[in-house]
Amino acid sequence: MHSPAPKIIPPEILLLAYRGGVFPMADSRDDGEVFWVEPRERAILPLDGFRCSRSLAKVIRQDRVTVRVDGDFDAVIEACAQPRNDHPETWISHTVDASYRNLHRHGHAHSVECWRDDTLVGGLYGVAFDRVFCGESMFAKADNASKVALAWLVALMRRAGFVLLDCQFMTEHLASLGAVEIPRERYHELLSEAAARPPNDSLPQAHAALLREAEVYASSPGKLIAHSFSQTS
């Protein structure tokens, strides 16, 4: 006997919530209900404040992984939903999972992925609207993979004309990469500023443009990404 299909939060409801600073979570993978969260202190990563260490820049520059955007969104959210040593229960319920896969099909959820040959070794996914990207979750099965994905995300957001990278909750990992906490009221101000005009490109478009630029200049995508951080550090 098959399990019933999970409920899906309509894309228009999800986007309305995100534009209001609210996002859904669940208590476990099998939880059929979601609750809506709006942190009093919001973690964001200023796009000009990403800390790209020399060792991380070297990893990026050497193209030790191939970075794709929306190559396999479903595989990324599936990997992010797996239990971890420090989080045996995931907040990505089947309802949350299905809702973001549907949002991806509508063009508002994207993944940044690290591939080694044909194996997905790390990545992240999140929600894009106006000039905002709200990071939802990330994972890594190889050293530095999630850091590389985040570095690429920051660089692509800059290129595409995005202005706000929401990380939701602060962690030591995010703080080490430059994330800061701001009050809820300030976050709403930044949302309003980001909605003033659309981005220049979508993240997939920015990624495609970067690959074309690397070909034109006989360079590598990783070298262009690493160089972009050396120009702003």
Side-chain angles (χ1 to χ4, degrees):
M1 190 171 178
H2 295 291
S3 300
K7 294 181 291 186
I8 291 180
I9 305 168
E12 59 272 20
I13 298 298
L14 274 175
L15 292 174
L16 182 65
Y18 275 94
R19 286 189 168 101
V22 183
F23 55 89
M25 298 184 72
D27 285 324
S28 69
R29 185 69 168 161
D30 295 320
D31 189 358
E33 301 297 325
V34 300
F35 56 92
W36 298 88
V37 181
E38 185 180 17
R40 291 183 179 179
E41 294 291 319
R42 196 82 171 218
I44 66 166
L45 206 166
L47 298 183
D48 60 355
F50 180 76
R51 295 175 188 159
C52 187
S53 65
R54 290 184 180 181
S55 59
L56 178 57
K58 181 178 179 181
V59 171
I60 296 170
R61 191 165 49 246
Q62 293 178 342
D63 286 311
R64 296 182 188 177
V65 294
T66 299
V67 178
R68 302 172 186 166
V69 173
D70 292 345
D72 195 339
F73 182 90
D74 290 356
V76 172
I77 197 169
E78 181 71 27
C80 288
Q82 296 306 305
R84 308 178 192 187
N85 291 335
D86 55 342
H87 290 94
E89 282 288 358
T90 179
W91 61 268
I92 305 173
S93 67
H94 293 294
T95 292
V96 171
D97 185 323
S99 299
Y100 286 100
R101 294 186 196 220
N102 186 51
L103 192 64
H104 170 66
R105 289 191 287 271
H106 282 77
H108 285 287
H110 301 289
S111 56
V112 180
E113 309 150 9
C114 295
W115 293 82
R116 186 166 290 157
D117 298 322
D118 294 324
T119 302
L120 179 65
V121 296
L124 59 84
Y125 78 95
V127 176
F129 60 94
D130 302 328
R131 291 183 292 162
V132 181
F133 187 87
C134 297
E136 289 296 313
S137 187
M138 62 174 64
F139 79 100
K141 295 181 179 178
D143 289 346
N144 295 306
S146 61
K147 291 182 180 179
V148 171
L150 185 57
W152 270 72
L153 172 63
V154 169
L156 293 177
M157 287 179 67
R158 289 175 177 175
R159 284 172 164 260
F162 282 64
V163 296
L164 178 57
L165 174 50
D166 171 31
C167 302
Q168 299 179 344
F169 299 110
M170 182 62 79
T171 66
E172 289 185 9
H173 177 66
L174 289 171
S176 71
L177 295 169
V180 298
E181 284 188 318
I182 60 174
R184 177 188 299 168
E185 295 74 18
R186 177 56 182 154
Y187 180 72
H188 280 274
E189 292 175 356
L190 294 177
L191 284 176
S192 297
E193 293 171 10
R197 60 182 177 84
N200 301 324
D201 289 307
S202 69
L203 292 178
Q205 288 170 334
H207 181 255
L210 174 76
L211 298 185
R212 290 193 298 269
E213 185 178 329
E215 288 185 4
V216 168
Y217 291 103
S219 183
S220 73
K223 287 180 181 178
L224 293 179
I225 295 291
H227 181 68
S228 72
F229 290 117
S230 69
Q231 295 297 98
T232 57
S233 61

